[in-house]
């Protein structure tokens, strides 16, 4: 891949080793990402086949034959192909755009609900245009016993979420560089993802990482690593849209000024979902809160939607 001004280039090997020439900076390789290449003790899932540089020349993407994408320098993580890809990937090119994911299972303007283990005994709405279903109700535990039933109810409008809380793990995970909190977040997302698979639930749908003001440490940098670990695992699995569930005024109190380039499922109970979509980020900024930079993709606009006498959270696709 050439640098933007043509005064340098990178070469990449099948094992993800990167070699630089001219003014091409070295921003990392699969070795520095905690992997050891095709011949090592922790081999890559499939050979690297291509790379592309970012417009600034300060980063690059690597892609494997199976469609797994690694990012280095200022290259954002925007998604990968499904784990079910049937033909090998052969090339990678950069493209113009704003770098923000826009995919959702729901058509913009759709209304729906989110459900969890708390709705196991309740009749669900007859139909929904958007159904966001809990996989696990706690980090690395509390699998939703009704996941399969609720995912079936959501049908083709299914989206999934994993509840997060603070923790640490000494088991090194890819992309975490030995950080114990990142390891924990990675494992929490992995636990939820694999549980959904075990229940026969379609995991190739949008996923949300639920970050609520409960059971976090006072160390915002450590909390940030937990969230990043969860995002990394889901992105590594090739999930097309991975975002964060949060409310406009609680995010920074938990993770500081951490702004991952992922979309937001915004909890803001105004009963004006269109206004939430348009004003959520600016409202947070007016109170000196900095949200993730991917924009509001879904909003939870009400927590008192009545369906057959039972209260549900109402959601709206922006």
């Amino acid at each position: 891949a050439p640098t933007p001004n043509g005064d340098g280039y990178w070469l990449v090997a099948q094992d993800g080793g990167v070699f630089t020439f001219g003014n091409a900076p070295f921003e990392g390789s699969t070795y520095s990402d905690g992997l050891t290449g095709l011949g090592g003790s922790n081999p890559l899932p499939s050979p690297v086949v291509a790379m592309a540089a970012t417009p600034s020349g300060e980063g690059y993407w690597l892609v494997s034959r199976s469609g797994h994408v690694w990012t280095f320098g200022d290259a954002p993580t925007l998604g990968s192909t499904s784990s079910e890809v049937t033909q090998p990937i052969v090339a990678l090119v950069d493209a113009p755009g704003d770098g923000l994911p826009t995919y959702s299972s729901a058509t913009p303007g759709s209304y729906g609900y989110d459900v969890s283990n708390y709705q196991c005994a309740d009749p669900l709405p007859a139909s929904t245009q958007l159904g966001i279903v809990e996989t696990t109700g706690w980090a690395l535990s509390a699998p939703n016993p009704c996941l399969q039933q609720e995912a079936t109810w959501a049908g083709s409008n299914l989206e999934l979420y994993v509840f997060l809380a603070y923790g640490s793990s000494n088991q090194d995970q890819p992309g975490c560089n030995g950080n114990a909190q990142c390891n924990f977040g990675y494992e929490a997302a992995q636990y939820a993802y694999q549980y959904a698979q075990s229940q026969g639930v379609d995991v190739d749908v949008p996923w949300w990482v639920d970050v609520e003001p409960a059971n976090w440490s006072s160390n915002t940098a450590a909390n940030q690593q937990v969230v990043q670990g969860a995002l990394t695992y889901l992105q590594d699995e090739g999930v097309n849209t991975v975002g964060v569930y949060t409310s406009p005024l609680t995010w920074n109190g938990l993770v500081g000024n951490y702004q991952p380039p992922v979309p937001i499922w915004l909890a803001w109970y105004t009963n004006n979902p269109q206004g939430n979509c348009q004003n959520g980020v600016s409202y947070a900024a007016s109170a000196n809160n900095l949200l993730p930079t991917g924009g509001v993709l879904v909003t939870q606009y009400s927590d008192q939607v009545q369906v057959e006498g039972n209260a549900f959270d109402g959601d709206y696709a922006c």
Side-chain angles (χ1 to χ4, degrees):
T3 58
N5 66 3
D7 288 337
Y9 50 83
W10 297 267
L11 302 182
V12 63
Q14 284 189 345
D15 62 4
V18 174
F19 306 88
T20 64
F21 299 88
N23 69 343
F26 180 76
E27 299 291 350
S29 69
T30 58
Y31 292 96
S32 61
D33 197 32
L35 302 170
T36 56
L38 292 172
S41 59
N42 185 22
L44 301 184
S46 66
V48 172
V49 295
M51 73 183 307
T54 61
S56 70
E58 298 298 325
Y60 41 82
W61 297 270
L62 307 183
V63 64
S64 74
R65 186 169 59 190
S66 64
H68 183 99
V69 176
W70 291 271
T71 62
F72 300 93
D74 66 356
T77 299
L78 300 173
S80 303
T81 57
S82 163
S83 58
E84 299 175 356
V85 62
T86 57
Q87 298 294 325
I89 301 300
V90 297
L92 173 69
V93 295
D94 64 327
D98 59 12
L100 301 178
T102 57
Y103 172 77
S104 174
S105 66
T107 302
S110 300
Y111 288 86
Y113 313 90
D114 58 272
V115 296
S116 67
N117 62 297
Y118 293 110
Q119 279 77 40
C120 278
D122 297 334
L124 298 176
S127 63
T128 184
Q129 299 171 313
L130 170 64
I132 310 178
V133 180
E134 174 198 82
T135 55
T136 52
W138 198 255
L140 276 173
S141 62
N144 178 5
C146 298
L147 173 58
Q148 187 178 59
Q149 170 198 349
E150 292 175 346
T152 300
W153 159 78
S156 61
N157 300 313
L158 173 67
E159 303 189 6
L160 297 170
Y161 76 91
V162 50
F163 187 89
L164 272 192
Y166 178 81
S168 63
S169 168
N170 293 324
Q171 180 66 45
D172 287 345
Q173 300 298 343
C176 286
N177 299 312
N179 183 280
Q181 287 74 38
C182 178
N183 292 339
F184 181 82
Y186 189 100
E187 292 165 11
Q190 182 181 49
Y191 178 89
Y193 187 91
Q194 292 179 347
Y195 174 66
Q197 286 181 313
S198 74
Q199 298 301 297
V201 171
D202 182 10
V203 293
D204 292 322
V205 300
W207 278 74
W208 301 97
V209 174
D210 185 342
V211 181
E212 300 184 32
N215 301 293
W216 291 88
S217 79
S218 59
N219 185 333
T220 57
N223 296 341
Q224 175 187 134
Q225 287 294 325
V226 175
V227 177
Q228 183 58 57
L231 295 175
T232 296
Y233 174 80
L234 293 168
Q235 291 165 342
D236 283 354
E237 284 295 333
V239 175
N240 194 340
T241 295
V242 182
V244 166
Y245 170 89
T246 188
S247 59
L249 302 183
T250 62
W251 172 254
N252 287 156
L254 299 175
V255 297
N257 290 335
Y258 169 51
Q259 291 186 281
V262 299
I264 307 163
W265 171 19
L266 189 71
W268 195 15
Y269 302 122
T270 63
N271 285 322
N272 179 9
Q274 295 84 358
N276 288 4
C277 298
Q278 297 169 2
N279 305 318
V281 173
S282 60
Y283 173 73
S286 69
N288 296 318
N289 281 269
L290 301 176
L291 296 175
T293 59
V296 180
L297 199 57
V298 177
T299 179
Q300 187 184 60
Y301 68 94
S302 173
D303 61 352
Q304 290 297 318
V305 177
Q306 294 292 317
V307 178
E308 298 185 34
N310 298 300
F312 286 80
D313 293 324
D315 295 285
Y316 177 83
C318 297

